[in-house]
Structures are given as C-alpha cells and as structure tokens.
Amino acid sequence: MSDVRAIAFDATDQKNDNTEEKVDPVTAESLFEASDEPSPRLTVVEIPGERWSGKTSLLNQLTRDAAAHGWRTASGHATTTLSAVPYGIFVDALDDLLVRFDTDALTGPARHHVARLAGVFPALAAAAPPITETPSDRYHALRALHALLEALAAEQPLLITLDDGHRADSASLDLLSHLLGHPPAGRIVLAIAHRPRQGDGMLRSLLAEAAAHGRLRRSPTVPLSEEQALSLLPDDLSRVHCETLLAEADGNPGLLRAFAALRAVPDHCGSTAFPLPIEVLTDCLRDFRGLTPAGWLAARSAAVLGEPFDVAALGRVAQLDGAALRAALDELLREDLVHGTALARGLRFRNPLLRAAAYQSAGSGWLQGAHERATALLAPRDSASVPLARHLEHSAVEGDAAGAGVLLTAAAERLWQDPVQAAAWTRTAMDLDADSGRTARTRLLLGRALALTGRLRESLAALTTTTAVPGAQAPGAPDTSAAAHRCRARIWRLLGDHGAALAELDAASRLPGARETRARARLLGERLAHALETGEGAGVADGAVTEPPLGDLPLAERGRLLALLAASAVRSGAGDRAREYADRAAPLLDALPDGVAVRHLDGLYWLAATESALGRAEAASLHFGRSLRIAEARRLTGVVPQLAMAMARLQLEAGDLAGAVRHAACAETNAAAVDSPYLLGLALELKSEVAAALRGNRTPSPAPVLTPVEAEPGLAALSKRELEIAVLVSGGRTNQQIARALELSHKTVETHLGRIFRKLDVSSRAEVAAVVGRSERKGQGPHHATARPAAHQEKPRHYKATAPGLTYEHRSLQPQVAW
C-alpha cells in the first residue's frame, strides 16, 4: 500500500470551509484503478493545509500512484511569476506535455481551437498563428481548453496536480469553474493543494460546488506521528527538547525541519539571535514574493517591532499612514503572514520563522533607521526595559549613559531566559558607557551570562575584576564579591581544577558579612556541591552537617539547600535522613515556575539524584527531564552537558539504551561548545561507555540501594604503580595531571592506563572509577593495598548510592547551574 493510502485520506467527517456537505474519502484504488461502477468523468481531489504541512508531498505521492496505474500525469504550481499569465497554473502543468502533442487529435469542430490554444501554451505556438484572447473571447478559450483536456484523456486517463491553488490567477479559476459545469469526456482527476486561509474565496467556493455535485474528494494533510517527527530531528537533541520542538511544530513537517536546523524555536522577539540557515530563509521568503514594495516595508517593520504589534506603531516605523498603511496590512493578512490576537489592534506573525526571515532580509542601514524610529516611539512611554533594549542595541550611540542603563537592566532581566542576548546587551552597554563597564555588578552580570553560554575562560576574565576594577569608582560590594567567588568556583570545577574552586570558596568565607545567616547558608550550599561533585571536603558532604537555619532563605534557595543536604545524607548512607530532606525539598522546588526554577537547576538535579538513590526512579526521571528541558529551551550551553550526562546514566542503568545513546550524544555536542576539555572528555567517556553497552547488547544491572557492594578482585592484579594511577583516574585527574603528580611522562601514563583497562576488563575511565569506588566501600580498596599519592591522603570514603541512577564517586560531575 502506498504512503497516500497508508495515510488513508480518511476525511469522511471533515467539511469544507463553505459547505456542510459530506465529502467522500479518497484512496488510490478509487481514483486510479479501473472499475465497472459508474464514476464522475471529472474528479477533484482537494488537499487543504497550512504552509509547510506536507501538501506537496501528498501531490507527489498521488503522481507516483497514478503513474503506477498507467495514468498520464502533469503537475503545475501557481507562483507569483505566473499570477499575471492567463491560465498560468494550467500552462505550468500542461506545456511540457504538449511538446509532443499531435494537434491532429483535435478533430472535427475542435480544429478551430488550435489557434486559440497556441496563444495560451508556448509549446503549441508553432502549430498555428496564435490568437490573443480578449475578454469577449474568454468563452472561446475555455471551450478550446475543454477540448484539449478531452483529447489528452481520450487514450489514457489523466491526473493534473495543481500546487498552491490559492495563488491561481482568475483565468485558471474560470477554467476550473467551466470544467465543473461542463465535465470533459474521459477519466480526469484534478488534485488541488491550497491554503484555506489564503486567496479571495473563489477557489473555496468552487470546491464547495464540486462537493455539492459529488465530484470532490478530500485528502487533508495529516500531522506527523511522534515516531515520524523524531526521525526528522537530530540524534543529539535530548528527548525533552525534542518534545518541545514537536509541540511547537504541532505536527507540521516543514516547521519541524526548520526548528531542527536551528536546534530551537526562535524567540518571537529574537530578531538576530536565531539566524536562519540559507535553505530555511529561502523557503520562508517565497511567501513574501507576492507583496508590493509597501507590503514588504510593512512586513519588515513588523519584524522590527515586538509581538504583538499594533497598527499605529507599525505605521510609525514603516513611515506609512492612511490608505497606504491599510493596503499594506491587507496584503499581509491576505497572504496569511500575520494574524490577529485577542487585543483589538494587536497582530503577530503566523509563525516565528516568517518574522525572522522578514527581519534578516532587510538591509542593515534600513534596520538601523527602523530601530531608531522604534526607540523614539517607545522611550517617551516609559516602556519596559527589554522591549526598548531590543532597539537600543542597534540605535544607541557612544556616550549614551541612559541607554546603557536600559541595556544593563534588560540584560539582568533576560539573563536566565536568554543568556546569549544578555551577554550581547551587557557588552553593548559597556561600549556605550565606560563607567558602567567598570562596575563590579556589571562585570558579574557579564561573567554569569558568559558562563551560562559555555564561554568559561571569557567568564573568568570578566569575573576576576568584580571585586576591584582598575579605574573603577569603588570596589564591589561584599555580596557581589561573594557571588563572583561562587561563580568562579563553579567554573573552575567545570574546567577540572578543583583546588582553584576550593580556594574561591575559602576566599568567599573571609569576606565581610560571610557569617550572616543567608550568606552562611549560601556558602554551605556551595561547599556541599563542591564536596559532592569532587569527592573532596571531608566533614562537609559525609552526612555530618548540621542543618542551618532556613527561615530567612527564600523558598527556592531553601529547596535547593535541602536537596543538597539530601544528597549528602545519601552519600553517608543515612537513608532516613535523605528521605526526610528530599520530601521537604520536592514540594518547594516543584512549585517554582520555570522562570524561577532555572536559577536553581542544581537543586532539581540533586533532588533527582537523591530520588534515584532512594529507588524513586520515576520521580528522578521527571526532575532530571524538567531540568534539561529548562536548560535547553534557554540555551544554557554551559549547563546542558552535565544534565544530559546525568539523564544518559540514569537511562543506561535502567536499560533504556536508545535513550542513553541520544542523551550521551546531546552531552557530547553541547560539551564541544563549552571551552572545557575536561567536560568534553567526560562526555566522550560516557559515549564510549554507552557504545560498549550497545556492542554487548547488555543492560546494566541497578546497584543495591545504599548497601555495600562486593569488592573487585581485579584490583589485586594491578601493580603498585597501576594502582596509583587507577586511584588518580577515579579522582577525575587527566593524564597530564597524573603525569605531573607521579613525575612520569605522559606516554608512560597512557601505557599504564592501557594495561589497567586490560586487567580490569573495562573500556573507559568511568568504569575504572567505578571499580575503585566499589573496592573502597568494601574496605578492600587501594588504600589497603598501597600508600595513596600525597594528593589523595585526605580523600574521604565514598559510597555507591544509586538505583538505578547516579554514582556519587570521585569522578561524578554534577551541574554548575546556580550561577
């Protein structure tokens, strides 16, 4: 069965916009196979659907089915170029077919039609002197075209597919009306794809007429199934991000392909944040080709404005008024480029791709002037900072201190929604006003935005000047300095330098006000996170921490700290305490809207990790998934890799290999966009681990919950030097760091590591860490076999606390997200 028949054309219960008539379903058999039952000599197949919804694909499938049944086929496409050509869509369909047409087939009275047909079809121009049609001769031309179709269908049934029928010229619609009233002899099928909301209504009226006479079959486009849609998306997008794109595309394959190319849904106001790939831009611009210069001006001006936009603002930016403005708006509405909103005067683009295309097709000089006019329009109204910043970014001039202030306020508002845009606005403000750029708060804002986007080294450079900027009017306030130290600590951990991270936390603890309740609680949270992530900090994450006063903390921070305390209790084996903390943290974090939860993703993460360890796999998956969805939707590139790795490990141990593969690929792609070789190395090791599971087609068994694991006898086979290296590997050290610690060459470390892999029968550094961790917990680990390297003398014991999720061991890397 063909794809068309598989889709089934099951539109029996669907109605045309202008009729209540029932429309028979259509199948390839009913259309193209020979039958003894009487059927209409002319059948019209309607394929309604919005832009990019798959109408052309259905027409192509009909053409293939018809050819397979021995039918003659012709295909036409209404374009703006053909809009001025009489019968243009039929000319496009039939002209190639008529190159080999024998005009002698037009016998008898039909012979006198040849000259008129020669005036319509270039392929017949040599057959007779053409007669140019005049309005009084329109009926003669319709009769000639009627005779031509009868001649074409006399020997072989004929399928004519007409795409974008809503753009058909008036003469083509006259011909369709004539054919419906005077059906040609022979089996002819006209398949017409169109957008129901476009056109002047003539086509819809004709289709209703065909339905009333029993000549219409309808094949609406069918939204993609989830399986079909996923096949169009890249393999390295997380499952939750795929679900977001699927929901936004609403089953429309063209939209979904575009979102897949962008790896995101463009913000309705993000004009420059999502540059469209050339193929997507080209497809979008086809919908603007029918606009007049005034219509184009209105479309581009609308793209400059935020959404929804009102008519008065559009007129000011486009410099159109009165009749010219109304005519331009009529064009945009007729072409279905914009539509109304609940606001009486509000309009918005039909989809974000059209807006981005209109904006990106405009010249830079015109855009600057348009943004200046929009700024002048908004500024007197005391507008919100974000809408005004979108225009100031392009129109402000050096020395505009007020404009710089608006940009900084907007950047702070958008930091957690779009850190890429926040970083751009902050830099623009610093360029406009040097004094603004030297303040500690501005540098902290820039550093946070850069860190969230994965530009870690640039972030460190910005943050190193937050406490004392050369030439600044005053050093940063203690709370700003403390925030900068905490942010730098997370960056150093992402870069693999745990010592530098700990030094930042120590520096924060020495700042004025560090012993105040809120500051002390925040610092405790950072020390807990550091200890859990690195395996360092005995007495901090071993379950011995006394719960600090939480009453003065905002609910979100309270939930985050409780989640960290829960994870610490899991690590110490205190299951009851972990459950208590997790049960208190969950309602606090779950109640947060996404716009607030994004600031505390590590709280959600540690809650999920604890739930996994406590055997609450479903709750853990929901919290991991929510964190990842929030991070990807906001382009938090610096955060996504760790969350994706966590999801992959959860799925790997649960036996969901397909999910683990997708999220491991997601982690690798995003880690490659972060300037941290350490993070990328972890992602690649996870990818190797998942690949090994696939090769063996094995499902990792969940580990017991909060219980010791049998010692690994394989460690006994290692030499003293190999054991030392295995311990350092389990601590997250790179080969270069191991070589420096043991005073060996890099090549020697690689050689030892290869032997370790063979002796332990493992294929990744993560598996080495797991073997070492299991042996330590049994009391038979490396510290019983040989002296530890100096760097690890103080390393605490670790416990496996996963089922079926995360392993809190030396190498576990967790998200640095509460910037």
Side-chain angles (χ1 to χ4, degrees):
M1 182 176 289
S2 72
D3 291 343
V4 169
R5 284 175 285 168
I7 291 175
F9 290 168
D10 52 353
T12 307
D13 297 329
Q14 299 200 33
K15 300 176 177 64
N16 187 280
D17 291 340
N18 296 330
T19 183
E20 294 297 321
E21 297 284 346
K22 286 293 184 76
V23 178
D24 291 334
V26 60
T27 64
E29 290 86 350
S30 64
L31 280 177
F32 305 128
E33 290 185 356
S35 174
D36 295 332
E37 298 181 6
S39 60
R41 290 183 294 177
L42 175 68
T43 300
V44 178
V45 176
E46 179 193 6
I47 303 179
E50 302 313 315
R51 53 172 54 83
W52 313 324
S53 60
K55 302 183 298 298
T56 302
S57 296
L58 284 179
L59 288 178
N60 292 339
Q61 185 60 53
L62 277 176
T63 299
R64 290 191 292 271
D65 281 345
H69 285 82
W71 281 49
R72 176 179 286 165
T73 63
S75 299
H77 187 180
T79 64
T80 54
T81 304
L82 292 173
S83 62
V85 177
Y87 314 105
I89 193 169
F90 285 95
V91 171
D92 191 50
L94 299 175
D95 201 55
D96 287 343
L97 200 62
L98 297 180
V99 171
R100 294 177 297 278
F101 178 70
D102 184 1
T103 56
D104 291 338
L106 297 170
T107 58
R111 284 294 302 164
H112 72 280
H113 291 318
V114 175
R116 294 191 180 279
L117 293 173
V120 175
F121 296 100
L124 298 180
I131 297 177
T132 302
E133 179 188 334
T134 64
S136 61
D137 294 329
R138 174 64 62 88
Y139 187 74
H140 292 279
L142 294 176
R143 293 296 299 170
L145 290 163
H146 180 281
L148 174 64
L149 293 178
E150 282 191 337
L152 289 172
E155 298 181 358
Q156 195 175 5
L158 175 64
L159 167 71
I160 303 175
T161 63
L162 305 175
D163 204 356
D164 281 348
H166 55 280
R167 299 186 187 278
D169 60 281
S170 61
S172 293
L173 295 177
D174 286 343
L175 175 58
L176 178 59
S177 176
H178 179 79
L179 295 175
L180 289 172
H182 307 81
R187 293 187 67 185
I188 299 176
V189 171
L190 288 177
I192 305 173
H194 71 108
R195 300 177 191 169
R197 289 197 294 261
Q198 290 183 236
D200 59 6
M202 179 64 177
L203 176 61
R204 294 194 298 275
S205 176
L206 292 174
L207 293 172
E209 178 185 340
H213 291 86
R215 299 187 182 280
L216 185 70
R217 306 289 183 269
R218 184 174 292 124
S219 170
T221 56
V222 178
L224 294 168
S225 68
E226 184 175 353
E227 182 178 355
Q228 292 171 325
L230 284 174
S231 69
L232 299 179
L233 293 173
D235 294 335
D236 58 351
L237 290 180
S238 75
R239 185 58 183 254
V240 288
H241 193 48
C242 288
E243 291 169 358
T244 298
L245 299 186
L246 296 183
E248 291 291 335
D250 195 23
N252 184 307
L255 271 180
L256 187 61
R257 288 189 181 93
F259 293 161
L262 292 169
R263 304 178 68 85
V265 178
D267 188 296
H268 71 278
C269 291
S271 304
T272 58
F274 294 93
L276 301 181
I278 186 62
E279 63 275 8
V280 176
L281 179 61
T282 301
D283 285 341
C284 292
L285 290 180
R286 291 194 181 100
D287 283 324
F288 293 86
R289 288 179 179 173
L291 297 180
T292 64
W296 254 116
L297 183 60
R300 287 171 171 148
S301 300
V304 167
L305 293 168
E307 291 188 332
F309 57 89
D310 63 64
V311 176
L314 178 64
R316 291 281 297 276
V317 174
Q319 296 178 306
L320 295 171
D321 56 17
L325 176 60
R326 290 191 292 273
L329 276 175
D330 284 342
E331 286 187 60
L332 301 184
L333 291 165
R334 184 175 61 250
E335 294 297 321
D336 197 36
L337 295 168
V338 301
H339 65 103
T341 67
L343 299 175
R345 295 167 63 85
L347 296 168
R348 65 171 64 246
F349 277 88
R350 183 60 69 177
N351 66 59
L353 298 179
L354 294 174
R355 181 182 188 276
Y359 188 93
Q360 292 169 32
S361 66
S364 57
W366 180 86
L367 282 174
Q368 182 176 355
H371 281 294
E372 287 176 353
R373 292 189 291 275
T375 300
L377 179 66
L378 293 176
R381 302 183 182 181
D382 193 24
S383 300
S385 57
V386 170
L388 190 54
R390 298 188 187 282
H391 305 301
L392 283 171
E393 178 185 12
H394 303 279
S395 61
V397 296
E398 187 175 355
D400 184 355
V406 171
L407 286 167
L408 289 175
T409 301
E413 290 183 26
R414 292 291 293 175
L415 174 64
W416 297 99
Q417 308 303 315
D418 189 350
V420 175
Q421 183 69 81
W425 283 347
T426 305
R427 287 198 185 280
T428 301
M430 295 168 71
D431 290 339
L432 293 177
D433 181 31
D435 290 339
S436 297
R438 289 199 298 266
T439 66
R441 194 168 297 278
T442 299
R443 308 292 295 190
L444 176 60
L445 175 60
L446 178 60
R448 281 174 163 170
L450 292 171
L452 287 171
T453 60
R455 295 150 69 181
L456 303 183
R457 299 289 181 182
E458 291 182 62
S459 177
L460 281 176
L463 291 167
T464 51
T465 55
T466 55
T467 55
V469 182
Q473 296 174 352
D479 59 338
T480 303
S481 298
H485 282 303
R486 293 196 300 269
C487 189
R488 286 200 295 268
R490 296 172 199 128
I491 294 172
W492 283 121
R493 289 200 294 272
L494 281 178
L495 293 171
D497 194 333
H498 300 161
L502 191 58
E504 294 288 353
L505 297 181
D506 290 340
S509 68
R510 295 191 294 269
L511 290 173
R515 301 198 61 80
E516 294 178 1
T517 301
R518 183 174 294 188
R520 190 168 68 251
R522 287 174 174 171
L523 187 58
L524 172 61
E526 293 307 315
R527 288 195 178 276
L528 286 171
H530 179 87
L532 288 166
E533 292 159 12
T534 65
E536 300 171 354
V540 176
D542 59 1
V545 176
T546 301
E547 180 181 330
L550 301 178
D552 292 338
L553 291 179
L555 293 180
E557 292 188 35
R558 193 183 309 172
R560 174 180 179 261
L561 188 55
L562 286 170
L564 285 161
L565 289 168
S568 300
V570 163
R571 171 172 160 171
S572 70
D576 290 341
R577 194 187 312 165
R579 291 184 185 89
E580 176 195 348
Y581 283 139
D583 290 342
R584 292 168 60 190
L588 294 175
L589 294 174
D590 289 343
L592 300 177
D594 285 358
V596 177
V598 65
R599 301 168 182 260
H600 305 282
L601 291 183
D602 59 341
L604 280 170
Y605 177 90
W606 286 112
L607 174 61
T610 302
E611 289 168 334
S612 175
L614 296 175
R616 304 172 181 177
E618 184 176 353
S621 180
L622 289 174
H623 285 125
F624 278 139
R626 185 190 181 197
S627 301
L628 188 53
R629 174 180 57 78
I630 291 172
E632 286 192 288
R634 289 160 173 76
R635 298 192 294 168
L636 308 184
T637 308
V639 175
V640 171
Q642 306 95 307
L643 295 171
M645 282 189 272
M647 183 67 84
R649 289 196 178 281
L650 182 71
Q651 293 170 322
L652 184 62
E653 298 209 19
D656 180 4
L657 294 183
V661 168
R662 176 174 286 278
H663 288 100
C666 174
E668 180 190 1
T669 297
N670 284 275
V674 179
D675 58 347
S676 171
Y678 172 72
L679 186 60
L680 180 57
L682 291 174
L684 292 174
E685 288 179 13
L686 173 61
K687 180 181 177 181
S688 298
E689 187 177 344
V690 173
L694 282 174
R695 287 194 300 270
N697 196 24
R698 61 181 177 83
T699 301
S701 301
V705 180
L706 300 174
T707 57
V709 186
E710 290 298 322
E712 293 290 328
L715 288 181
L718 300 183
S719 68
K720 179 180 178 180
R721 179 64 80 188
E722 289 165 353
L723 198 54
E724 289 176 332
I725 291 175
V727 170
L728 290 172
V729 166
S730 72
R733 300 301 180 92
T734 65
N735 286 359
Q736 291 88 341
Q737 291 170 330
I738 294 172
R740 288 195 297 270
L742 300 181
E743 298 182 351
L744 300 173
S745 70
H746 182 269
K747 183 66 175 177
T748 301
V749 174
E750 289 182 346
T751 301
H752 281 302
L753 195 56
R755 293 172 182 166
I756 292 169
F757 280 15
R758 288 194 298 273
K759 290 181 179 180
L760 298 183
D761 192 23
V762 298
S763 59
S764 72
R765 301 167 75 94
E767 290 178 281
V768 172
V771 172
V772 173
R774 287 194 292 268
S775 296
E776 286 185 336
R777 289 190 294 275
K778 186 64 176 177
Q780 300 174 2
H783 56 290
H784 290 280
T786 183
R788 283 175 169 267
H792 286 258
Q793 290 291 345
E794 300 301 321
K795 188 172 291 296
R797 294 177 62 205
H798 298 289
Y799 296 84
K800 188 161 188 176
T802 69
L806 267 289
T807 302
Y808 307 118
E809 295 175 342
H810 308 296
R811 299 217 60 241
S812 62
L813 176 73
Q814 315 303 347
Q816 324 293 318
V817 292
W819 300 101

